[in-house]
Amino acid sequence: MAHAHCKAHKKKPTKGRGEEEERGSEVSEEVSIQKTTMMRAQLHCLCLLTLYLTAGYGQERKFSGPLKPMTFSIFEGQEPSQVIFQFKASPPAVTFKLTGETDGIFQIQPDGLLYHNKALDRETRAVHKLQVSTLDVYGATVEGPVPITIEVKDINDNRPTFLQPNYEGSVRQNSRPGKPFMYVNATDLDDPTTPNGQLIYEIIIQLPKINDVMYFQINNKTGAISLTLEGSRELDPIKNPSYRLVVSVKDMGGQNDHSFSDSTSVNIMVKENIWKAPEPVEIVENSTDPHPIKITQVQWNEPGAQYSLGEKEKLSTLPFSIDQEGGIYVTQPLDREEKDSYVFYAVAKDEMGKPLAFPLEIRVKVKDINDNPPTCPSAVTVFEVQENEDIGSNIGTFIGHDMDEENTANSVLVYKIVDQIPKLPKEGLFLVQTYSGVVQLAGQSLKKQDTPQYNLTIEVSDKDFKTLCHVEINVIDINDQIPIFEKSDYGNLTLAEDTAVGSTILTIRATDTDEPFTGSSKILYRIIQGDSEGRLGIDTDPHTNAGYVIIKKPLDFETVAVHNIVFQAENPEPLVSGVNYNTSSSAKFKLIVTDVNEAPQFSQRIYQAKVREDVAVGTKVGNVTAKDPENLDISYSLRDNTRGWLKIDPATGEIFTTAPLDREAESLYRVQVMATEVGGSSQSSIASFHLTLLDVNDNPPRLAKEYTGLFLCHPLHQEGTLIFEVTDDDQRSFPSPHFSYSLVSESSRNDWEVSRVNGTHAKLSTKHTNFEEGLYSVPIRINDGGRPPLEGVVSLPVTFCTCVEGHCFQPAGHQPGMPTVGMAVGILLTTFLVIGIILAVVFIRIKKNEGKDTVESAQASEAQPLRN
């Protein structure tokens, strides 16, 4: 809208003036007065109207127009005398009339100029409903009233204001962070749908502010105040019972430097948190009182909370419940031996089902009663005691069990022997420690020959229960006898050095008179002399105690030809004091190893080497070594040297090249090396030699295939493109070859261009469309980018031809070896002539044969007599 005042008055003719002159005397005095008034108003606002016509606009962005329903938007607070719109009247209307919610602000000139004479205030009235009518010279309504709507647009001319200068609130310590406990509110008279009325809240001061940490936070849109995570943890009414906040509010969404603001004080009292975990609860197990039984209580800081229990452990059934006053109950008798403690949670939620704070941990311990009798460790407990054991020796420890709580009077066990079977040689041969359960030999030493087994009955009791348990005591023989060999010398044994590993070469035997099938009588054999390399071993038969001497490692005549073996028999159970092994527990034999002529042995089965494919002839590429067990000389030779690339020094095993190598022909060259004894039985052995050829860039690039069918349709309507593939017989580089392309001749470069597509393909393109029909050979130079780089020149044939349905059409022409059309016609005529001659000759011969047959027939008739 225009914002200018008139500075000068100039006369300006009006459209209505000429019309009035034509009417003459028909115009009344009242109309004359209206005309005079209209002229004065027009003169008074001449500058204003001019500015309006250049800057103002209405609903349709026009400055003037016919009378019709319209809506105008005007910012509040503008200076008065602002033009809104110029309405144009249609005859016979000569003047305008304004009615409605003008509030003394809006006026219209007789010529239809609508304006306001005072600043608008949206907060007083946001929309003005006006009506405009047109009148004729007699004051009668010609058109209208037409509704005109004036919308007053808001400007930020009101500051936000808090509803209270001070706010009071309270919060419990450990309240849930982010849950509002109070609100502050501010209002702004500006339009709330615009930034002018959009309010942003902020806490600008917190007193006290400990360690520069904010304990409170505010929702910047709603004014809701809640605790931060730190505030939920740190608030303590004993340390700081109250806090003071200064909260500000800004309009314009807080994003404008020209926004208005207000502030208020908020006083917050910190109350003690009564939402606390109760002390651990003890419940006596197997209670016979009526259930449920209340065991503890929790309470939220405010009334109206909804309580529930949550499980920490996964149980089939949680034997606890909670009522809506926070009372916690046990719902059934508990068994400590089944579960001795419970941990679960009490949860408080609001009416929307959201948690009010962190859950409280509830701990319940089940108190033990003596409701379980002692139990035996097993149906029969078995101990062993050696004969001749000293009096007071511990035989074993008998441990009973009690399911009641450990380290209480309910689980203290007392042991007592109440029976001994047999009572030989006397009763009371054993005793048991009252609280430890240690069983001891009490009366005298035992003899297995007298009684090999005793059965005891032990009473195990706690303060209320008794249980009888059974113990079996076996008297075992002591190891007081040593193994004795059946003979001390097993003589000589001769074996070839190639005797198979695992072979049993000798059986030895010793006896032990201790109790059979015990550790005292079981015999273990070991070699104590003559086999430092561990080539032999001895296995024992568990049933007969026989020993089997076996070969564990190959024998070797060249290393040791004669073994003087000494072995000893021992028991796994230690001998009793005063008894020792002697010469009766050892024996010997002599092992004589005979020589066997063995083939040479290579140091490894496969020898490998790498070499560049361009090495000079005669280069050493590897070496093999073999050794003959009999220390004979060895001669080396090659087998399967199919390409004749290698030779070997027969004496040293060194391998040399004898011809140029070619990786493209064979990248891994395999030969066999034979090592043969010189002299003796000429035994031999074979190893493999693998030679890996490393690539050298010695092959120029070439076309991957023969291209004979490349064509472009003639005439060209646009530049043509052909794709071709290139390869290189050398080893490809990773990830792809680096071929580069260029045209060989200057003339080719005028007509063609070549470029790389990828690692293996290139593109040949025409540079113009002026090609004649026919065959073109395009020479292309290809560089492989190797080290050193190699180039190859290929000729790519391209045919320009007439195309039919996308295929090249070429009329058949004369080709070497093919007859021409004239020749074909001559051959055809000659063929017909020969056929005619043959038919004529055949026809003449047939005629001659028919004439001859007629003459002969007549002569025969004449020679025959007439018959009746």
Side-chain angles (χ1 to χ4, degrees):
M1 296 302 170
H3 294 276
H5 297 280
C6 294
K7 298 297 182 181
H9 298 281
K10 294 184 180 180
K11 292 183 179 181
K12 180 180 178 182
T14 64
K15 178 179 177 182
R17 189 178 182 90
E19 295 175 354
E20 292 169 2
E21 292 176 352
E22 292 179 1
R23 290 187 179 90
S25 59
E26 295 178 0
V27 180
S28 64
E29 183 177 355
E30 180 180 353
V31 175
S32 299
I33 294 172
Q34 292 177 353
K35 287 171 54 184
T36 302
T37 303
M38 180 172 62
M39 292 174 62
R40 289 177 179 175
Q42 289 175 339
L43 291 173
H44 178 70
C45 296
L46 178 61
C47 294
L48 183 62
L49 179 58
T50 302
L51 182 60
Y52 156 73
L53 291 173
T54 59
Y57 55 87
Q59 184 184 31
E60 300 177 355
R61 303 186 68 86
K62 297 180 179 179
F63 302 104
S64 63
L67 180 62
K68 62 180 180 178
M70 299 187 73
T71 299
F72 299 92
S73 296
I74 304 173
F75 281 103
E76 65 174 332
Q78 292 187 2
E79 296 180 359
S81 300
Q82 296 293 312
V83 176
I84 300 173
F85 196 76
Q86 173 72 63
F87 291 104
K88 295 181 179 180
S90 300
V94 296
T95 187
F96 290 83
K97 178 181 178 181
L98 179 65
T99 58
E101 299 170 344
T102 62
D103 294 345
I105 298 175
F106 298 96
Q107 294 182 351
I108 192 167
Q109 296 290 342
D111 64 348
L113 186 66
L114 178 65
Y115 65 98
H116 62 88
N117 55 24
K118 295 180 182 179
L120 304 180
D121 184 8
R122 192 199 66 83
E123 288 71 40
T124 302
R125 190 190 294 273
V127 178
H128 293 262
K129 299 292 186 179
L130 307 179
Q131 294 85 38
V132 176
S133 305
T134 59
L135 308 176
D136 60 13
V137 294
Y138 301 105
T141 300
V142 176
E143 186 178 359
V146 174
I148 303 297
T149 302
I150 306 296
E151 296 177 346
V152 183
K153 298 183 69 175
D154 186 50
I155 64 172
N156 192 25
D157 57 349
N158 293 279
R159 65 174 291 184
T161 305
F162 278 102
L163 299 182
Q164 299 175 211
N166 294 284
Y167 287 84
E168 302 289 335
S170 63
V171 63
R172 296 275 183 183
Q173 68 177 134
N174 303 127
S175 293
R176 183 160 59 91
K179 179 174 176 58
F181 61 86
M182 67 177 298
Y183 289 82
V184 295
N185 298 100
T187 60
D188 192 315
L189 295 177
D190 289 319
D191 187 356
T193 64
T194 67
N196 303 328
Q198 294 179 0
L199 305 183
I200 296 296
Y201 298 92
E202 180 184 7
I203 298 175
I204 57 177
I205 297 176
Q206 170 189 296
L207 297 175
K209 191 175 184 181
I210 301 170
N211 297 327
D212 201 33
V213 175
M214 292 295 293
Y215 290 166
F216 301 91
Q217 59 188 350
I218 190 168
N219 187 306
N220 63 359
K221 291 184 174 58
T222 66
I225 299 177
S226 61
L227 293 181
T228 63
L229 182 60
E230 293 81 5
S232 176
R233 294 172 177 170
E234 301 298 334
L235 281 188
D236 188 342
I238 297 176
K239 296 180 180 178
N240 290 292
S242 66
Y243 289 82
R244 179 173 175 267
L245 307 179
V246 176
V247 179
S248 73
V249 63
K250 290 184 179 181
D251 60 13
M252 301 296 290
Q255 301 298 317
N256 195 309
D257 293 338
H258 303 290
S259 59
F260 294 115
S261 65
D262 191 17
S263 62
T264 188
S265 177
V266 181
N267 296 315
I268 300 173
M269 298 297 296
V270 180
K271 295 182 179 181
E272 182 183 4
N273 178 29
I274 60 175
W275 179 248
K276 296 180 179 179
E279 294 295 325
V281 180
E282 281 194 355
I283 301 176
V284 176
E285 66 172 330
N286 298 322
S287 172
T288 58
D289 295 336
H291 287 73
I293 301 173
K294 186 173 182 179
I295 58 173
T296 189
Q297 174 79 37
V298 295
Q299 184 178 351
W300 175 240
N301 296 312
E302 305 293 342
Q306 299 177 359
Y307 300 100
S308 60
L309 297 181
E311 294 186 47
K312 184 176 182 180
E313 308 162 293
K314 291 185 177 180
L315 304 174
S316 58
T317 302
L318 183 67
F320 302 95
S321 65
I322 188 170
D323 61 24
Q324 290 311 303
E325 282 71 42
I328 298 177
Y329 299 82
V330 58
T331 59
Q332 64 188 45
L334 304 180
D335 185 357
R336 193 205 68 83
E337 287 71 41
E338 180 180 329
K339 186 170 178 59
D340 61 356
S341 65
Y342 295 85
V343 180
F344 54 93
Y345 294 107
V347 182
K349 298 181 180 179
D350 59 18
E351 63 279 0
M352 302 301 294
K354 294 183 179 179
L356 293 168
F358 297 106
L360 301 181
E361 187 175 80
I362 311 298
R363 290 184 172 272
V364 175
K365 179 181 178 182
V366 185
K367 190 174 181 180
D368 184 48
I369 62 173
N370 191 23
D371 57 347
N372 291 280
T375 60
C376 304
S378 59
V380 177
T381 302
V382 179
F383 293 131
E384 290 184 346
V385 59
Q386 288 186 346
E387 59 181 350
N388 297 329
E389 194 77 45
D390 295 334
I391 295 175
S393 298
N394 291 344
I395 299 174
T397 301
F398 182 83
I399 300 176
H401 299 284
D402 195 309
M403 295 292 291
D404 291 316
E405 186 174 2
E406 293 182 3
N407 303 318
T408 66
N410 298 330
S411 60
V412 174
L413 301 182
V414 176
Y415 302 94
K416 182 173 68 173
I417 297 176
V418 296
D419 193 15
Q420 169 192 312
I421 299 175
K423 297 177 174 58
L424 297 175
K426 65 178 182 178
E427 193 172 2
L429 291 175
F430 307 94
L431 63 83
V432 61
Q433 297 290 341
T434 304
Y435 293 101
S436 66
V438 175
V439 179
Q440 295 175 292
L441 186 62
Q444 63 181 50
S445 297
L446 305 178
K447 290 290 184 179
K448 183 171 183 178
Q449 291 81 358
D450 298 337
T451 305
Q453 185 182 87
Y454 291 90
N455 292 288
L456 304 181
T457 301
I458 296 180
E459 178 187 272
V460 186
S461 60
D462 60 18
K463 66 178 185 176
D464 295 314
F465 300 96
K466 296 180 179 179
T467 302
L468 296 179
C469 299
H470 300 284
V471 175
E472 179 182 293
I473 298 178
N474 295 315
V475 181
I476 61 174
D477 184 34
I478 60 176
N479 191 15
D480 56 357
Q481 301 295 322
I482 64 173
I484 298 175
F485 273 101
E486 59 182 0
K487 55 183 177 179
S488 61
D489 191 345
Y490 284 84
N492 298 337
L493 180 64
T494 301
L495 295 176
E497 65 177 331
D498 62 351
T499 302
V501 172
S503 300
T504 299
I505 61 174
L506 180 65
T507 300
I508 59 178
R509 189 182 304 275
T511 58
D512 192 313
T513 58
D514 286 317
E515 183 181 358
F517 306 110
T518 66
S520 300
S521 62
K522 182 178 180 181
I523 298 177
L524 300 178
Y525 300 95
R526 65 186 181 94
I527 297 174
I528 60 175
Q529 185 178 322
D531 185 25
S532 59
E533 296 184 356
R535 298 181 185 275
L536 303 179
I538 305 176
D539 292 338
T540 301
D541 187 323
H543 302 289
T544 65
N545 273 340
Y548 303 103
V549 181
I550 62 173
I551 296 178
K552 292 173 59 180
K553 296 180 181 179
L555 303 177
D556 187 3
F557 170 81
E558 288 73 24
T559 302
V560 180
V562 177
H563 297 265
N564 292 305
I565 304 297
V566 178
F567 37 78
Q568 181 165 307
E570 299 174 348
N571 302 127
E573 188 74 28
L575 295 173
V576 297
S577 178
V579 179
N580 298 302
Y581 297 107
N582 55 35
T583 56
S584 300
S585 299
S586 62
K588 64 181 181 178
F589 80 98
K590 178 182 289 188
L591 175 61
I592 301 171
V593 181
T594 59
D595 186 31
V596 174
N597 189 19
E598 300 167 280
Q601 298 175 355
F602 280 98
S603 59
Q604 57 193 75
R605 284 183 55 250
I606 299 176
Y607 295 83
Q608 295 180 330
K610 294 181 180 180
V611 68
R612 287 167 54 96
E613 63 174 325
D614 62 345
V615 296
V617 174
T619 300
K620 178 182 174 180
V621 296
N623 189 75
V624 299
T625 56
K627 182 179 179 182
D628 185 70
E630 289 75 37
N631 292 322
L632 297 177
D633 292 335
I634 295 175
S635 174
Y636 299 97
S637 61
L638 295 181
R639 298 175 58 184
D640 298 333
N641 188 16
T642 55
R643 295 186 181 272
W645 285 353
L646 302 176
K647 69 177 181 178
I648 190 169
D649 188 310
T652 65
E654 295 177 314
I655 300 175
F656 302 87
T657 62
T658 59
L661 307 178
D662 186 1
R663 189 202 67 84
E664 288 69 39
E666 193 164 354
S667 60
L668 180 62
Y669 191 55
R670 299 180 179 89
V671 297
Q672 288 187 330
V673 182
M674 178 179 290
T676 305
E677 292 177 342
V678 177
S681 58
S682 299
Q683 293 201 62
S684 62
S685 58
I686 294 176
S688 296
F689 180 76
H690 295 173
L691 181 62
T692 300
L693 302 184
L694 303 178
D695 187 45
V696 175
N697 193 28
D698 56 352
N699 290 277
R702 59 179 177 82
L703 293 176
K705 60 182 179 180
E706 184 178 0
Y707 287 92
T708 58
L710 297 178
F711 70 92
L712 292 172
C713 294
H714 184 274
L716 283 178
H717 299 292
Q718 59 184 10
E719 294 181 358
T721 299
L722 297 170
I723 303 295
F724 60 94
E725 184 181 358
V726 175
T727 188
D728 189 327
D729 293 324
D730 291 315
Q731 186 174 7
R732 288 194 175 187
S733 60
F734 183 81
S736 61
H738 295 282
F739 295 123
S740 59
Y741 308 86
S742 61
L743 295 170
V744 175
S745 63
E746 182 66 29
S747 60
S748 297
R749 288 192 288 272
N750 293 334
D751 297 333
W752 307 86
E753 61 182 357
V754 64
S755 58
R756 184 176 183 268
V757 174
N758 56 32
T760 57
H761 290 75
K763 177 174 64 176
L764 179 67
S765 305
T766 62
K767 298 179 71 172
H768 57 79
T769 58
N770 301 322
F771 287 88
E772 295 182 0
E773 195 169 3
L775 177 65
Y776 292 77
S777 291
V778 183
I780 300 172
R781 180 180 290 109
I782 307 171
N783 188 302
D784 63 6
R787 295 182 183 179
L790 291 181
E791 292 183 348
V793 176
V794 300
S795 182
L796 199 65
V798 181
T799 301
F800 286 84
C801 60
T802 302
C803 290
V804 177
E805 295 182 354
H807 298 283
C808 185
F809 174 75
Q810 292 179 299
H814 175 69
Q815 299 181 9
M818 295 290 291
T820 63
V821 175
M823 293 173 62
V825 172
I827 292 172
L828 184 61
L829 292 177
T830 303
T831 301
F832 287 153
L833 180 60
V834 170
I835 293 172
I837 294 173
I838 293 173
L839 292 175
V841 171
V842 170
F843 180 75
I844 293 172
R845 290 182 64 87
I846 291 173
K847 286 297 185 180
K848 288 182 177 180
N849 290 336
E850 289 179 354
K852 184 177 179 181
D853 290 340
T854 303
V855 172
E856 291 177 353
S857 177
Q859 291 174 354
S861 298
E862 293 174 359
Q864 292 178 357
L866 297 173
R867 294 183 181 180
N868 296 329

